Amino acid sequence: AGAMSVGAHLVSPASAGLFSRAILQSGTPAHSHGLEAAAAVRVAVLESMVGSNDTDLAALQSIEVKRFIEADAAANAVARTAALPLPFQPVRDGLHLPVDPRESIRTGACAQIPLMVGANRDEMRLFSLGAAMAGTVPSEETLLRRAQRMLESANSSSQPAELLSRYREVSGHDGGIELWSALATDAVFRLHALDLAETQAAAGGQVWHYSFEYASEAFGGLLGAAHALEIPFAFDNLHQRGISLLLGE
C-alpha cells in the first residue's frame, strides 16, 4: 500500500511540487479503483457495519469493534475478482486522480522526478507462509485460475496451461506454493515494477530498477526473498531487535 500511495502522489495535482524524488518498493500505481468499484466497496463496508448505506456519524461512532472485522471480510468479498484483490486502493475520482495513473506517467506527468522502483524475487511467499507451513498444496485448478487472471490482465490470448508450462520450465518448480508464488509475484509486483521503469524512461524521466533477491533463512527457508524483506536493508536496521524473525539467525 505504501508504494501504491507514493505512485498516486506522483501524478496527483494536489501533490505537485511537494517532493523531488521517490522510491517505490514493491508496488506501483498500476492498480486503482474507478468510482463504480470504489462505491461498491463503500456500500459493502457500510451495510456490513450499520446495516445500510448510511454515513450518519452517530451510527458510525457506535459500531462495535467486531463489526469492523466483519466489514473487512465484506470488502474483500467485493474485490475478490479484481486483478489485484485489494478493496482499498487509490480512487480515480476526477480530482485527486483525474485519470488512470499509468496514463499520466506515460504522458510525462512525473518525468521530472527521479524514481527508484523494484520488487523482491519471492514477494508472495510472505502472504502464503501459513499455507506453506501447513503443507497446503494449491491444486492445478487454482494455478490455472491464477494464470488466467494474469493473462486477462495483460490482454493476452495465450492459454493458461501454456503459461503454467513456461513457468514450470523457468522457475524449476513443478507445482506447490512455490509455483503459485512465482506466478502471483510477477502478476502483482514484478511486472508492474518493470512496466513503470520502462514507462518513466520512455517519457524522458530518470529511473533506476532493482530486484532484491536475498533469501531469508527464517521458517526453514520458506520465505525466500519475500515481501518486506528488503526494508531493514534499505534503512540499515539489520541490528534491530526482531529482525531475525524475518531474516533468520
Side-chain angles (χ1 to χ4, degrees):
M4 290 172 63
S5 298
V6 170
H9 279 295
L10 284 173
V11 298
S12 174
S15 300
L18 296 182
F19 50 93
S20 59
R21 64 195 69 178
I23 300 174
L24 296 89
Q25 295 172 220
S26 303
T28 74
H31 301 284
S32 59
H33 280 324
L35 289 175
E36 184 177 345
V41 172
R42 173 183 179 275
V43 169
V45 169
L46 287 174
E47 289 187 345
S48 177
M49 290 196 299
V50 298
S52 66
N53 186 20
D54 188 357
T55 56
D56 177 70
L57 181 59
L60 294 175
Q61 289 176 330
S62 66
I63 296 171
E64 298 178 3
V65 172
K66 67 177 183 179
R67 302 299 293 274
F68 283 92
I69 299 174
E70 296 168 358
D72 182 65
N76 278 293
V78 170
R80 188 167 294 144
T81 58
L84 179 63
L86 287 178
F88 305 108
Q89 300 184 34
V91 178
R92 303 187 301 276
D93 61 354
L95 178 63
H96 298 94
L97 287 181
V99 298
D100 188 321
R102 293 171 295 185
E103 184 58 31
S104 294
I105 295 170
R106 287 190 187 97
T107 56
C110 59
Q112 77 283 7
I113 302 174
L115 302 181
M116 178 180 287
V117 58
N120 298 357
R121 185 189 62 201
D122 307 307
E123 294 275 4
M124 295 300 289
R125 289 200 191 184
L126 177 66
F127 308 105
S128 61
L129 179 61
M133 293 179 69
T136 303
V137 178
S139 66
E140 187 72 5
E141 181 182 359
T142 297
L143 294 171
L144 286 169
R145 281 201 304 269
R146 175 72 266 184
Q148 179 66 45
R149 286 168 62 182
M150 285 183 68
L151 293 170
E152 290 174 352
S153 179
N155 294 317
S156 172
S157 60
S158 298
Q159 295 301 308
E162 294 175 2
L163 183 62
L164 270 185
S165 177
R166 183 60 175 154
Y167 264 83
R168 285 187 165 106
E169 178 185 342
V170 173
S171 71
H173 300 300
D174 187 56
I177 287 293
E178 294 84 4
L179 183 58
W180 179 89
S181 174
L183 286 161
T185 293
D186 280 0
V188 177
F189 294 100
R190 193 175 72 88
L191 295 179
H192 293 299
L194 287 167
D195 180 66
L196 173 58
E198 292 172 353
T199 303
Q200 174 75 346
Q206 288 184 295
V207 60
W208 290 263
H209 176 269
Y210 72 86
S211 176
F212 184 85
E213 301 189 3
Y214 178 88
S216 168
E217 297 178 357
F219 302 99
L222 292 174
L223 280 175
H227 185 67
L229 199 72
E230 87 290 354
I231 294 175
F233 290 87
F235 289 96
D236 194 20
N237 283 335
L238 294 171
H239 61 286
Q240 295 292 339
R241 176 190 291 180
I243 296 299
S244 61
L245 177 65
L246 191 64
L247 298 181
E249 298 295 339

